[in-house]
Amino acid sequence: MAQAQATLSIDLGGTKMLAALVRGQAVLETHKVATPRSGDPAEWLQALFDAIAAWKGRYDKVGVAVTGIVDDGHWSALNRNTLDIPDRFPLTDTVAALSGVSVLAANDAQAAAWGEFSFGAGRREDMVFLTVSTGIGGGIVLNGRLLGGLAGHFGQFRLDDAASHTLEDQVSGHWIAREANPHQEGATAREVFAAASAGQDWARRIVETSARQTALLCRNIQLALDPKRIVIGGSIGLAPGYITSIEAALSELPLRLKPSIHAAELGENAGVVGIADLAERQQQL
Ligand code: BMX
Protein backbone atom coordinates (compact mmCIF):
# COMPACT_ATOMS: atom_id res chain seq x y z
CA MET A 1 0.00 0.00 0.00
CA ALA A 2 1.29 3.49 -0.82
CA GLN A 3 2.39 5.50 2.21
CA ALA A 4 0.03 8.21 3.38
CA GLN A 5 0.91 11.68 2.18
CA ALA A 6 2.65 14.01 4.62
CA THR A 7 1.72 17.59 5.43
CA LEU A 8 4.02 20.42 4.45
CA SER A 9 4.38 22.73 7.44
CA ILE A 10 5.91 26.18 7.35
CA ASP A 11 6.72 28.15 10.49
CA LEU A 12 7.58 31.73 9.60
CA GLY A 13 8.85 33.62 12.64
CA GLY A 14 10.69 36.85 13.36
CA THR A 15 14.05 35.07 13.28
CA LYS A 16 13.77 31.92 11.21
CA MET A 17 11.64 30.18 8.61
CA LEU A 18 11.31 26.45 9.12
CA ALA A 19 9.74 24.19 6.51
CA ALA A 20 9.05 20.56 7.39
CA LEU A 21 7.35 17.48 6.07
CA VAL A 22 5.29 16.13 8.96
CA ARG A 23 3.29 12.96 9.42
CA GLY A 24 1.45 12.74 12.75
CA GLN A 25 4.03 14.06 15.18
CA ALA A 26 6.95 12.74 13.16
CA VAL A 27 9.06 15.37 11.42
CA LEU A 28 10.40 13.66 8.28
CA GLU A 29 12.38 16.46 6.64
CA THR A 30 13.32 20.00 7.59
CA HIS A 31 14.73 23.04 5.86
CA LYS A 32 15.63 26.12 7.90
CA VAL A 33 16.69 29.61 6.81
CA ALA A 34 16.95 32.98 8.54
CA THR A 35 13.91 35.20 7.94
CA PRO A 36 15.02 37.83 5.41
CA ARG A 37 15.08 41.44 6.63
CA SER A 38 14.31 42.87 3.19
CA GLY A 39 11.92 42.10 0.36
CA ASP A 40 8.38 40.96 1.05
CA PRO A 41 6.63 37.74 2.06
CA ALA A 42 5.81 36.82 -1.56
CA GLU A 43 9.56 36.74 -2.33
CA TRP A 44 10.44 34.87 0.90
CA LEU A 45 7.83 32.22 0.22
CA GLN A 46 8.86 31.86 -3.44
CA ALA A 47 12.50 31.32 -2.35
CA LEU A 48 11.40 28.82 0.31
CA PHE A 49 9.33 26.80 -2.18
CA ASP A 50 12.25 26.82 -4.64
CA ALA A 51 14.48 25.40 -1.92
CA ILE A 52 12.07 22.56 -1.11
CA ALA A 53 11.02 21.83 -4.70
CA ALA A 54 12.21 18.23 -4.26
CA TRP A 55 9.44 17.61 -1.68
CA LYS A 56 6.72 18.18 -4.28
CA GLY A 57 4.44 15.14 -4.54
CA ARG A 58 5.12 14.04 -0.96
CA TYR A 59 2.49 16.30 0.62
CA ASP A 60 -1.19 16.82 -0.05
CA LYS A 61 -1.88 19.82 2.20
CA VAL A 62 -0.01 22.72 3.76
CA GLY A 63 -0.12 24.31 7.19
CA VAL A 64 1.45 27.75 7.62
CA ALA A 65 2.18 29.23 11.05
CA VAL A 66 3.28 32.85 11.06
CA THR A 67 4.32 35.51 13.54
CA GLY A 68 1.44 38.01 13.50
CA ILE A 69 -2.28 37.64 13.11
CA VAL A 70 -4.12 35.75 10.38
CA ASP A 71 -7.66 36.85 9.55
CA ASP A 72 -9.49 35.09 6.69
CA GLY A 73 -6.19 33.93 5.26
CA HIS A 74 -4.71 37.45 5.37
CA TRP A 75 -1.59 38.02 7.41
CA SER A 76 -0.72 41.23 9.31
CA ALA A 77 1.84 42.22 11.92
CA LEU A 78 0.72 43.42 15.32
CA ASN A 79 4.24 44.47 16.22
CA ARG A 80 6.38 45.51 13.29
CA ASN A 81 9.49 45.29 15.47
CA THR A 82 9.02 41.52 15.47
CA LEU A 83 8.50 41.29 11.73
CA ASP A 84 7.70 44.08 9.30
CA ILE A 85 5.16 42.72 6.84
CA PRO A 86 2.60 44.57 4.74
CA ASP A 87 -0.92 44.81 6.13
CA ARG A 88 -3.27 41.96 5.11
CA PHE A 89 -0.82 40.02 3.00
CA PRO A 90 -2.81 37.31 1.12
CA LEU A 91 -1.04 34.38 2.81
CA THR A 92 -3.40 31.49 2.09
CA ASP A 93 -3.82 32.38 -1.60
CA THR A 94 -0.07 32.88 -2.10
CA VAL A 95 0.83 29.53 -0.52
CA ALA A 96 -2.01 27.76 -2.36
CA ALA A 97 -0.65 29.07 -5.67
CA LEU A 98 2.92 27.98 -4.79
CA SER A 99 1.97 24.54 -3.49
CA GLY A 100 -1.07 23.58 -5.55
CA VAL A 101 -2.78 22.05 -2.50
CA SER A 102 -5.13 23.27 0.24
CA VAL A 103 -3.71 25.57 2.92
CA LEU A 104 -4.51 26.26 6.55
CA ALA A 105 -2.84 29.29 8.16
CA ALA A 106 -2.64 30.38 11.81
CA ASN A 107 -0.52 32.35 14.25
CA ASP A 108 2.83 30.70 15.09
CA ALA A 109 2.43 30.62 18.87
CA GLN A 110 -1.12 29.32 18.65
CA ALA A 111 0.10 26.53 16.36
CA ALA A 112 2.94 25.74 18.77
CA ALA A 113 0.47 25.72 21.67
CA TRP A 114 -1.56 23.10 19.82
CA GLY A 115 1.59 21.06 19.16
CA GLU A 116 2.61 21.12 22.84
CA PHE A 117 -0.97 20.39 23.95
CA SER A 118 -1.32 17.42 21.61
CA PHE A 119 2.14 15.86 21.71
CA GLY A 120 4.29 17.67 24.26
CA ALA A 121 4.39 19.28 27.70
CA GLY A 122 0.68 20.24 27.64
CA ARG A 123 -0.34 16.60 28.30
CA ARG A 124 -3.76 17.44 26.81
CA GLU A 125 -4.69 19.48 29.88
CA ASP A 126 -5.93 23.08 29.96
CA MET A 127 -2.82 25.04 29.14
CA VAL A 128 -1.26 28.30 28.11
CA PHE A 129 1.83 28.25 25.93
CA LEU A 130 4.26 31.15 25.99
CA THR A 131 7.08 31.54 23.54
CA VAL A 132 9.68 34.04 24.59
CA SER A 133 11.73 34.70 21.47
CA THR A 134 12.01 37.68 19.11
CA GLY A 135 8.66 38.71 20.60
CA ILE A 136 6.44 37.03 23.17
CA GLY A 137 3.78 34.87 21.58
CA GLY A 138 1.14 32.80 23.26
CA GLY A 139 -1.59 30.26 22.74
CA ILE A 140 -4.48 29.12 24.91
CA VAL A 141 -6.04 25.66 24.88
CA LEU A 142 -9.09 25.23 27.11
CA ASN A 143 -11.46 22.27 27.18
CA GLY A 144 -9.51 20.76 24.28
CA ARG A 145 -10.06 23.82 22.10
CA LEU A 146 -7.39 26.18 20.77
CA LEU A 147 -8.50 29.80 20.91
CA GLY A 148 -7.83 31.75 17.71
CA GLY A 149 -7.83 35.41 16.70
CA LEU A 150 -6.06 37.73 19.11
CA ALA A 151 -6.29 35.25 22.01
CA GLY A 152 -2.91 34.60 23.58
CA HIS A 153 -1.18 37.70 22.26
CA PHE A 154 0.29 38.40 25.70
CA GLY A 155 3.32 40.10 24.20
CA GLN A 156 1.00 42.86 22.98
CA PHE A 157 -0.13 43.82 26.48
CA ARG A 158 0.41 47.54 26.83
CA LEU A 159 2.47 49.20 29.53
CA ASP A 160 1.38 52.43 31.10
CA ASP A 161 4.23 54.56 29.83
CA ALA A 162 4.21 57.57 27.54
CA ALA A 163 5.07 55.53 24.45
CA SER A 164 2.59 52.77 25.36
CA HIS A 165 5.31 50.14 24.90
CA THR A 166 4.31 46.53 24.49
CA LEU A 167 5.27 44.02 27.15
CA GLU A 168 7.38 42.07 24.63
CA ASP A 169 9.43 45.15 23.81
CA GLN A 170 10.51 45.17 27.48
CA VAL A 171 11.18 41.45 27.87
CA SER A 172 12.00 39.55 24.68
CA GLY A 173 15.13 38.92 22.64
CA HIS A 174 15.15 42.41 21.14
CA TRP A 175 15.00 44.00 24.57
CA ILE A 176 17.75 41.75 25.96
CA ALA A 177 20.08 42.66 23.08
CA ARG A 178 19.30 46.36 23.48
CA GLU A 179 19.98 46.33 27.22
CA ALA A 180 23.26 44.49 26.63
CA ASN A 181 24.58 47.01 24.13
CA PRO A 182 26.21 49.42 26.63
CA HIS A 183 28.03 46.46 28.26
CA GLN A 184 28.96 44.48 25.16
CA GLU A 185 28.36 46.29 21.92
CA GLY A 186 26.35 44.30 19.38
CA ALA A 187 25.76 41.36 21.74
CA THR A 188 22.97 39.01 20.71
CA ALA A 189 20.51 37.58 23.25
CA ARG A 190 22.38 34.27 23.00
CA GLU A 191 25.65 36.01 23.94
CA VAL A 192 23.96 37.65 26.92
CA PHE A 193 22.94 34.22 28.23
CA ALA A 194 26.50 32.98 27.72
CA ALA A 195 27.83 36.00 29.64
CA ALA A 196 25.29 35.38 32.44
CA SER A 197 26.39 31.73 32.70
CA ALA A 198 29.99 32.90 32.84
CA GLY A 199 29.06 34.98 35.89
CA GLN A 200 28.92 38.47 34.36
CA ASP A 201 26.74 40.56 36.69
CA TRP A 202 25.33 42.89 34.04
CA ALA A 203 24.18 39.92 31.95
CA ARG A 204 22.69 38.15 34.95
CA ARG A 205 20.73 41.27 35.81
CA ILE A 206 19.29 41.53 32.30
CA VAL A 207 18.25 37.87 32.19
CA GLU A 208 16.71 38.07 35.66
CA THR A 209 14.77 41.26 34.86
CA SER A 210 13.32 39.63 31.76
CA ALA A 211 12.48 36.40 33.63
CA ARG A 212 10.82 38.38 36.46
CA GLN A 213 8.52 40.09 33.97
CA THR A 214 7.67 36.75 32.39
CA ALA A 215 6.96 35.35 35.87
CA LEU A 216 4.58 38.24 36.54
CA LEU A 217 2.86 37.52 33.24
CA CYS A 218 2.48 33.84 34.22
CA ARG A 219 1.04 34.90 37.55
CA ASN A 220 -1.56 37.10 35.85
CA ILE A 221 -2.38 34.41 33.30
CA GLN A 222 -3.05 32.03 36.19
CA LEU A 223 -5.54 34.51 37.64
CA ALA A 224 -7.23 35.05 34.28
CA LEU A 225 -7.53 31.48 33.01
CA ASP A 226 -6.38 29.12 35.80
CA PRO A 227 -4.72 26.67 33.37
CA LYS A 228 -3.34 23.36 34.67
CA ARG A 229 -0.04 24.10 32.96
CA ILE A 230 1.91 27.00 31.55
CA VAL A 231 4.38 25.72 28.97
CA ILE A 232 7.35 27.93 28.15
CA GLY A 233 9.17 27.74 24.83
CA GLY A 234 11.15 29.95 22.47
CA SER A 235 14.86 30.59 22.18
CA ILE A 236 14.85 32.87 25.25
CA GLY A 237 12.31 30.83 27.22
CA LEU A 238 14.37 27.66 26.85
CA ALA A 239 17.79 29.30 27.26
CA PRO A 240 19.77 27.93 30.21
CA GLY A 241 18.59 29.34 33.53
CA TYR A 242 15.53 31.23 32.26
CA ILE A 243 12.82 28.89 33.57
CA THR A 244 14.71 28.50 36.85
CA SER A 245 14.66 32.29 37.21
CA ILE A 246 10.89 32.36 36.50
CA GLU A 247 10.33 29.71 39.15
CA ALA A 248 12.50 31.57 41.65
CA ALA A 249 10.40 34.70 41.10
CA LEU A 250 7.22 32.71 41.81
CA SER A 251 8.55 30.77 44.78
CA GLU A 252 6.94 32.90 47.51
CA LEU A 253 3.43 32.65 46.09
CA PRO A 254 0.78 30.74 48.02
CA LEU A 255 0.27 27.33 46.42
CA ARG A 256 -3.23 28.05 45.10
CA LEU A 257 -2.00 31.04 43.12
CA LYS A 258 1.17 29.45 41.80
CA PRO A 259 1.34 28.59 38.09
CA SER A 260 2.65 25.17 37.18
CA ILE A 261 5.52 25.96 34.80
CA HIS A 262 6.87 23.41 32.29
CA ALA A 263 9.53 23.56 29.60
CA ALA A 264 8.24 22.99 26.08
CA GLU A 265 9.13 19.52 24.85
CA LEU A 266 8.91 19.82 21.08
CA GLY A 267 11.54 22.56 20.87
CA GLU A 268 11.59 24.38 17.58
CA ASN A 269 9.32 21.75 15.99
CA ALA A 270 6.28 22.72 18.09
CA GLY A 271 4.93 25.10 15.45
CA VAL A 272 5.36 22.76 12.46
CA VAL A 273 3.92 19.77 14.33
CA GLY A 274 1.00 21.83 15.66
CA ILE A 275 0.05 23.43 12.35
CA ALA A 276 0.30 20.04 10.60
CA ASP A 277 -2.19 18.57 13.06
CA LEU A 278 -4.52 21.55 12.68
CA ALA A 279 -4.31 21.25 8.88
CA GLU A 280 -5.02 17.52 9.17
CA ARG A 281 -8.16 18.33 11.15
CA GLN A 282 -9.01 21.26 8.87
CA GLN A 283 -9.45 23.22 12.07
CA GLN A 284 -10.14 26.84 11.15
CA LEU A 285 -9.25 29.23 13.96
C1 BMX B 1 4.55 39.13 18.37
C2 BMX B 1 3.47 38.93 17.31
C3 BMX B 1 2.81 37.56 17.57
C4 BMX B 1 3.85 36.43 17.60
C5 BMX B 1 4.93 36.76 18.65
C6 BMX B 1 6.06 35.72 18.66
C7 BMX B 1 3.86 40.07 15.19
C8 BMX B 1 4.62 40.12 13.89
N1 BMX B 1 4.07 39.02 16.00
O1 BMX B 1 3.95 39.22 19.60
O2 BMX B 1 1.85 37.29 16.58
O3 BMX B 1 3.21 35.21 17.92
O4 BMX B 1 5.48 38.05 18.35
O5 BMX B 1 6.66 35.73 17.40
O6 BMX B 1 3.08 40.96 15.42
P1 BMX B 1 8.15 35.19 17.16
O7 BMX B 1 8.46 35.61 15.77
O8 BMX B 1 9.03 35.81 18.17
O9 BMX B 1 8.04 33.71 17.32
Side-chain angles (χ1 to χ4, degrees), residues 12-15 66-69 75-80 82-83 85 107-110 131-138 153 155-156 168:
L12 213 166
T15 312
V66 290
T67 181
I69 186 154
W75 175 26
S76 307
L78 291 169
N79 185 347
R80 288 179 183 277
T82 306
L83 190 62
I85 48 164
N107 167 263
D108 59 350
Q110 289 172 351
T131 166
V132 188
S133 51
T134 323
I136 296 185
H153 271 92
Q156 302 307 307
E168 66 188 0

Side-chain angles (χ1 to χ4, degrees), residues 136-185:
I136 296 185
I140 302 169
V141 185
L142 296 175
N143 303 319
R145 186 169 156 252
L146 174 63
L147 304 191
L150 283 173
H153 271 92
F154 305 107
Q156 302 307 307
F157 282 5
R158 256 45 190 185
L159 307 178
D160 183 22
D161 59 9
S164 185
H165 277 118
T166 60
L167 178 64
E168 66 188 0
D169 287 343
Q170 302 295 312
V171 177
S172 69
H174 276 158
W175 178 82
I176 290 178
R178 207 166 55 234
E179 289 296 297
N181 209 36
H183 304 279
Q184 186 179 317
E185 212 182 315

